[in-house]
Amino acid sequence: MAASAQVASGWDVGAPASRAARPARLCQRHQLGSCGGGQRQRSSKKGGEETGPNPTDRSKPGSKRHILVDANGIPLSLRISPTNRHDSKLLETLVDAVPAIRQCAGRPRRRPAKLHADKGYDFAHCRRALRQRAIIPRIARRGVESSERLGRHRWVVERTLVWFARFRRIAVRYERRADIFTAFHHIAASLICWRFVQRWFCQAL
């Protein structure tokens, strides 16, 4: 407990602001979402929950993360799957896992008006699932769109995946239990969201 007290004493909220902060400018971009997956993490041990042979790494066991973000890159939902499971199979799970998000006016939203995704989701059942949820699909088409450019909106989710990869605790999977590994991802997502909050308040002051 002594060590915990020393850590707690290091936190300081600082002096109060001279004036109230303006509302964060988030309202104009809430109707856009991006979905991405396929970022693989090698497992340091054989076996474990939600692991599978990595087709790009000599069939070594590993997992990969799938995330859905808003237009700013804030993670809204996250799932872990074996590396040999196709990205498209997690689309409906990711969309349905988005929590209710408060807007500047009106009811909290649970689903975006449009969803951008890469070619890994270019299937009829993915588009059908989104339309059933009143979401307009914006999915890159295989054989039509170039893979060299991520597009105007889809690069946002790739940037967020890079942010997740910077957390060394989840860059390589050490946990055999999937719930513990997922919990570390939720902590990383919380830190990413907190950095957005800090940036908005700094801009508002």
Side-chain angles (χ1 to χ4, degrees), residues 7 12-13 36 38 45 48 56 76 79-80 95 97-99 128 139 143 148-149 163 173 179 185 190 201:
V7 174
D12 186 7
V13 296
K45 296 181 180 180
T56 64
L76 303 178
R79 289 293 183 270
I80 302 298
V95 173
V98 175
R128 183 168 55 252
I139 302 176
E148 296 180 355
R149 299 181 60 186
W163 290 340
R173 177 172 177 175
D179 57 343
H185 276 80
S190 300
F201 274 97

Side-chain angles (χ1 to χ4, degrees), residues 5-78:
Q6 292 177 359
V7 174
S9 64
W11 290 87
D12 186 7
V13 296
S18 57
R19 57 189 177 89
R22 296 191 300 270
R25 292 173 291 182
L26 182 62
C27 306
Q28 294 82 4
R29 307 185 68 185
H30 69 278
Q31 297 187 4
L32 187 66
S34 296
C35 182
Q39 190 180 44
R40 299 177 174 88
Q41 307 95 42
R42 180 186 297 178
S43 177
S44 63
K45 296 181 180 180
K46 295 182 179 180
E49 300 172 351
E50 296 295 338
T51 60
N54 190 341
T56 64
D57 194 11
R58 296 174 292 178
S59 297
K60 294 182 179 179
S63 303
K64 61 181 176 181
R65 63 178 66 95
H66 308 257
I67 62 172
L68 190 150
V69 304
D70 72 351
N72 297 286
I74 299 175
L76 303 178
S77 63
L78 182 145

Side-chain angles (χ1 to χ4, degrees), residues 196-205:
F196 272 98
V197 172
Q198 287 180 312
R199 188 182 309 162
W200 286 333
F201 274 97
C202 289
Q203 292 176 354
L205 293 178

Side-chain angles (χ1 to χ4, degrees), residues 31-199:
Q31 297 187 4
L32 187 66
S34 296
C35 182
Q39 190 180 44
R40 299 177 174 88
Q41 307 95 42
R42 180 186 297 178
S43 177
S44 63
K45 296 181 180 180
K46 295 182 179 180
E49 300 172 351
E50 296 295 338
T51 60
N54 190 341
T56 64
D57 194 11
R58 296 174 292 178
S59 297
K60 294 182 179 179
S63 303
K64 61 181 176 181
R65 63 178 66 95
H66 308 257
I67 62 172
L68 190 150
V69 304
D70 72 351
N72 297 286
I74 299 175
L76 303 178
S77 63
L78 182 145
R79 289 293 183 270
I80 302 298
S81 75
T83 52
N84 58 339
R85 182 176 298 174
H86 200 275
D87 296 345
S88 62
K89 297 184 179 296
L90 274 294
L91 177 63
E92 295 183 53
T93 303
L94 282 172
V95 173
D96 293 338
V98 175
I101 301 175
R102 183 178 296 277
Q103 304 180 94
C104 295
R107 293 183 178 181
R109 292 182 62 92
R110 293 188 61 89
R111 295 166 181 164
K114 295 186 294 183
L115 183 69
H116 293 262
D118 58 23
K119 298 179 183 180
Y121 301 89
D122 185 20
F123 293 95
H125 68 87
C126 291
R127 291 185 169 86
R128 183 168 55 252
L130 292 176
R131 292 191 179 99
Q132 290 174 351
R133 292 165 172 79
I135 301 174
I136 301 174
R138 292 289 185 265
I139 302 176
R141 295 168 294 177
R142 290 172 292 178
V144 177
E145 299 185 32
S146 173
S147 59
E148 296 180 355
R149 299 181 60 186
L150 293 174
R152 180 180 178 182
H153 304 291
R154 283 180 284 121
W155 68 271
V156 177
V157 69
E158 299 295 336
R159 182 185 63 178
T160 306
L161 286 170
V162 172
W163 290 340
F164 274 96
R166 290 178 179 176
F167 292 94
R168 294 193 302 171
R169 194 63 181 82
I170 60 177
V172 176
R173 177 172 177 175
Y174 297 97
E175 292 75 23
R176 298 179 65 88
R177 289 175 49 181
D179 57 343
I180 297 178
F181 190 54
T182 303
F184 278 114
H185 276 80
H186 288 165
I187 294 174
S190 300
L191 293 174
I192 292 174
C193 294
W194 171 242
R195 291 169 184 172
F196 272 98
V197 172
Q198 287 180 312
R199 188 182 309 162

